[in-house]
Amino acid sequence: MTSPLELQHIAVEIATEAGELARRRRGEGVSIAASKSTIADIVTEADREVEALIRERLAAARPDDGFLGEESGDAAGTTGITWVVDPIDGTVNYAFGMPSYAVSIAAVVDGTDPGTWRALAGVVHAPALGETFRAAAGEGAWLGEQRIRVNTDAPAGALIATGLGYDSRTHAGDLATLTRAMPLARDIRRIGAASLDLAFVAAGRLDGYFERGLQPWDIAAGRLLVDEAGGRSGWFEPDAFGRSLAVVAGPELYERLRSAILD
Ligand code: IPD
Ligand code: CA
């Protein structure tokens, strides 16, 4: 059985190369290739090209593992390990020239449902920020060579991030959820890349984060970062639109945030 640290090493190498490609393509100019679930949910040629590179590199390094990617779907493996990949998380930021986008790569076992899988390794690499967050199960969470930890208290109120889905039918409900969280907040952030929201909670740059409607590739690496940084994370029942709820925070805030949103 390959160790979580070996899987992390592979993920970091590939994410770094993929991030360089994404950044180079961004410099050359980005074109929107298509809309997906709604007109606001876009994919660029770069998303597809970067995922193809990651898939090729993983197939060479780990030919018997499974794969699940945002842009090119899934393939079963024989080892029990699946690589869950978002080639460019924060595609709207990327298309608009904002630096908050990231390559997210994770290795999970026990299936591809975020409610029940177990993550072994993950990396969130933000090429335009020059930052690489990584974690391996039982080995802590790291930003470069520095160990990171979640915040353990928020005396002046919590800095909380969230996201709104691309489907306008869900906006009123999501804003009502945000209103319920506001009494806990000193301020709110909407960064636009779930993987970075999660990495920033792990690094103590945010106190907590919640969002409905995330996909497995949005959360796989970032949630392991939070857990390995001493935080808590939950994945809760879908709403009427079939969107599960992700909540992450440091140990002190977590239960209060979960309860403000759900109870
Ligand atoms: C999106 C981002 C965004 C979140 C959306 C995701 P994408 O991923 O993570 O912050 O609000 O739910 O779909 O489309 O940029 O890879
Ligand atoms: Ca994404």
Side-chain angles (χ1 to χ4, degrees), residues 12-249:
V12 168
E13 294 266 294
I14 295 176
T16 303
E17 185 185 356
E20 274 164 26
L21 175 61
R23 198 170 175 193
R24 193 163 70 242
R25 290 288 179 259
R26 174 61 246 181
E28 292 162 3
V30 165
S31 63
I32 293 172
S35 284
K36 299 193 286 184
S37 59
T38 68
I39 195 166
D41 183 8
I42 53 170
V43 56
T44 72
E45 291 298 349
D47 291 75
R48 292 173 175 167
E49 193 187 355
V50 174
E51 183 158 316
L53 173 82
I54 295 169
R55 198 165 181 159
E56 200 179 303
R57 294 289 183 268
L58 283 171
R62 303 278 313 169
D64 300 324
D65 293 348
F67 181 88
L68 173 64
E70 174 161 20
E71 313 303 343
S72 65
D74 60 343
T78 54
T79 60
I81 295 173
T82 303
W83 292 91
V84 183
V85 171
D86 195 337
I88 300 178
D89 184 38
T91 300
V92 173
N93 286 343
Y94 183 77
F96 277 72
M98 303 252 284
S100 297
Y101 64 88
V103 178
S104 175
I105 301 179
V108 306
V109 288
D110 300 339
T112 54
D113 176 347
T116 48
W117 73 27
R118 204 158 43 85
L120 299 180
V123 57
V124 174
H125 171 60
L129 304 177
E131 292 190 317
T132 306
F133 301 85
R134 63 192 159 88
E139 305 287 349
W142 301 77
L143 167 54
E145 293 316 306
Q146 196 167 357
R147 182 114 191 221
I148 52 174
R149 290 191 173 79
V150 297
N151 292 337
T152 48
D153 63 354
L159 188 59
I160 296 174
T162 190
L164 301 172
Y166 296 127
D167 183 346
S168 58
R169 293 173 307 160
T170 63
H171 290 164
D174 286 350
L175 289 170
T177 303
L178 179 57
T179 301
R180 285 202 296 281
M182 281 315 283
L184 301 177
R186 79 188 287 157
D187 205 349
I188 295 296
R189 294 289 179 270
R190 197 299 186 242
I191 289 164
S195 60
L196 285 174
D197 289 307
L198 293 155
F200 289 178
V201 172
R205 295 177 181 175
L206 293 168
D207 293 308
Y209 163 66
F210 65 91
E211 182 164 350
R212 276 199 189 278
L214 295 180
Q215 300 297 322
W217 43 82
D218 297 317
I219 195 172
R223 186 179 180 188
L224 180 64
L225 285 166
V226 172
D227 292 343
E228 286 293 325
R232 291 185 60 191
S233 62
W235 181 257
F236 299 100
E237 289 294 289
D239 66 2
F241 295 94
R243 301 176 313 147
S244 298
L245 170 73
V247 180
V248 305

